[in-house]
Amino acid sequence: MTPGPPRTLVVEADGGSRGNPGPAGYGAVVRDGATGQVLSETAAYIGTATNNVAEYRGLIAGLRAARALDAEASVRVRMDSKLVVEQMSGRWKIKHPDLRPLAGEAASVFPPEAVAYEWIPRERNGHADRLANEAMDAGRRGEAWRPAASAARPAASGAAAAGPGEPDPAGAAGTDPTAPAAAAETSRGWSADLGTPTTLVLLRHGETPLTPHKRFSGSGGTDPELSETGRRQAEAAAAALAARGTVQAVVSSPLARCRQTARAVADRLGLAVEVDKDLREADFGAWEGLTFAEVRERHPEDLDAWLASPETAPTGGESFASAARRVEAARDRILERHRGRTVLVVTHVTPVKVLACRALGAPLEAMFRMELSAASLSAVACYADGNASLRLLNDTSHLH
């Protein structure tokens, strides 16, 4: 008798950290691939860890639960972590030393050919997200998560059947991505109600005399002011943001081009400007004021190394990895001071790209694949559990 095809199991996994790093937990669900029926739930509080570590731990737990059900199964993993999905699919390198052993552990549970990975939007991963939050809540009380206490099972089984055509409330036509995300977007019956997120509206400063020539302009050289074009761009951004009426606070890089841009908006809105030194641009060292071609001619080896790794600094400058750490510290301070509000953050290319990468769970190498125009608007919604979503990137419609 010819054996039939292997059984298909679906693993949905998630992890979270309240602080990143902070108190962390994971959750995972195993479903029957044919019926969608929940076959197994698992969750645990893991102490202090980052979001990425918690997500990998959730993946490992889900795969192990699937193997306990059927070691010969074909497995489809569905997660809202772009980082984990791309790394486990082999498309992104795993550079962080804390993640390499976790990825190896996950890869060893089933033969590689038996597992396929799929990224899904966060709202379609509500069951695993709920379990992860239950585990973190239990850990806060000094308890272990217990399946009998789970509130996720009844509502989640119906939610998981949503197909690729399910509407995305964050991208619905006619919405303002710079406005606070509605709490209902994160609590549609099967995920934790995390309250109103803090929305960071990210405004790159207007043009300076260096901008049209694409010269490196960081925090280590001169501090150019806005050009006439840049001042017009700042006023256009101010008018657009005033018309939307959602901004409740303004925070700026200390550099002149940002403070001038921030002042144009703040004056229109009747707000003060807070300054955070960690929102400054990266220091490009000896490359300050040079074009890319000039750097290629004068520092070819340094440029190649910089393009290959965010850990590498420009000649005498600051690496993207180092800049990212201080930008994240600035973000956390803003979130602490302005929880649940909409905050305009006036800053530079590198900080905006860092915050976009962190919201997407993408590696810093993805910064080289983003384009940011002068005076462009982007937006990130930051939730109470440490997760975030990118709601807008490089919008220049107010300039036309």
Side-chain angles (χ1 to χ4, degrees):
M1 183 175 179
T2 304
R7 179 187 189 185
T8 298
L9 297 176
V10 175
V11 171
E12 297 169 358
D14 200 8
S17 169
R18 294 170 178 171
N20 199 28
Y26 66 75
V29 185
V30 183
R31 299 181 182 276
D32 184 282
T35 66
Q37 178 185 1
V38 175
L39 304 176
S40 176
E41 289 179 326
T42 183
Y45 173 71
I46 59 174
T48 299
T50 64
N51 280 332
N52 292 338
V53 167
E55 286 160 345
Y56 262 108
R57 292 285 298 275
L59 169 62
I60 292 167
L63 290 171
R64 286 177 173 166
R67 183 175 175 82
L69 291 167
D70 189 344
E72 305 300 321
S74 173
V75 179
R76 297 204 314 270
V77 173
R78 306 166 75 240
M79 298 181 69
D80 59 42
S81 169
K82 188 75 169 174
L83 177 81
V84 174
V85 168
E86 294 297 318
Q87 287 182 342
M88 292 303 299
S89 298
R91 291 184 289 269
W92 288 358
K93 293 181 180 179
I94 305 173
K95 294 189 174 181
H96 199 289
D98 292 345
L99 301 185
R100 289 194 200 105
L102 295 173
E105 190 174 351
S108 69
V109 179
F110 281 92
E113 65 273 11
V115 185
Y117 288 86
E118 174 191 358
W119 177 84
I120 56 174
R122 183 181 177 199
E123 63 268 18
R124 289 178 55 201
N125 202 28
H127 194 152
D129 174 73
R130 175 73 67 86
L131 295 176
N133 277 284
E134 286 178 2
M136 286 184 276
D137 290 342
R140 183 177 56 194
R141 298 190 300 268
E143 302 171 0
W145 177 85
R146 296 186 302 275
S150 172
R153 184 182 293 107
S157 59
E166 178 181 324
D168 178 2
T175 60
D176 176 5
T178 69
E185 292 180 11
T186 60
S187 59
R188 297 166 60 190
W190 60 84
S191 62
D193 182 357
L194 301 175
T196 302
T198 305
T199 300
L200 304 183
V201 181
L202 309 174
L203 173 60
R204 184 191 170 194
H205 61 80
E207 276 192 14
T208 75
L210 299 180
T211 307
H213 305 288
K214 297 184 181 295
R215 295 185 178 277
F216 282 92
S217 181
S219 58
T222 58
D223 187 6
E225 297 190 348
L226 296 180
S227 64
E228 182 59 36
T229 297
R231 287 192 287 273
R232 288 197 300 270
Q233 291 172 333
E235 291 297 336
L241 290 166
R244 294 174 183 177
T246 55
V247 172
Q248 298 166 290
V250 179
V251 185
S252 174
S253 155
L255 299 184
R257 52 198 185 271
C258 286
R259 286 189 287 106
Q260 290 174 326
T261 304
R263 175 51 56 198
V265 181
D267 285 350
R268 184 74 68 99
L269 299 177
L271 297 172
V273 177
E274 302 173 29
V275 174
D276 192 311
K277 63 182 177 59
D278 285 335
L279 291 173
R280 67 189 184 278
E281 181 57 282
D283 181 350
F284 294 111
W287 303 358
E288 295 277 354
L290 302 180
T291 65
F292 190 90
E294 289 169 339
V295 174
R296 170 66 71 191
E297 180 181 352
R298 301 181 194 184
H299 307 282
E301 293 182 359
D302 288 356
L303 179 61
D304 287 341
W306 180 72
L307 292 171
S309 172
E311 300 288 344
T312 300
T315 311
E318 176 187 27
S319 71
F320 281 150
S322 175
R325 286 189 285 272
R326 59 175 170 77
V327 169
E328 289 166 2
R331 175 203 61 196
D332 292 346
R333 286 193 293 272
I334 293 169
L335 296 180
E336 183 64 28
R337 289 197 303 270
H338 300 288
R339 192 170 303 278
R341 306 175 78 197
T342 296
V343 183
L344 179 69
V345 178
V346 185
T347 184
H348 310 263
V349 169
T350 298
V352 173
K353 289 184 175 182
V354 164
L355 294 173
C357 284
R358 294 312 188 216
L360 293 170
L364 291 178
E365 286 88 342
M367 293 172 63
F368 292 110
R369 302 181 184 181
M370 297 179 188
E371 179 72 21
L372 283 179
S373 303
S376 62
L377 286 165
S378 303
V380 172
C382 301
Y383 293 87
D385 66 348
N387 285 311
S389 62
L390 183 65
R391 297 172 59 80
L392 188 71
L393 185 69
N394 197 37
D395 176 20
T396 58
S397 59
H398 54 286
L399 302 178
H400 304 301

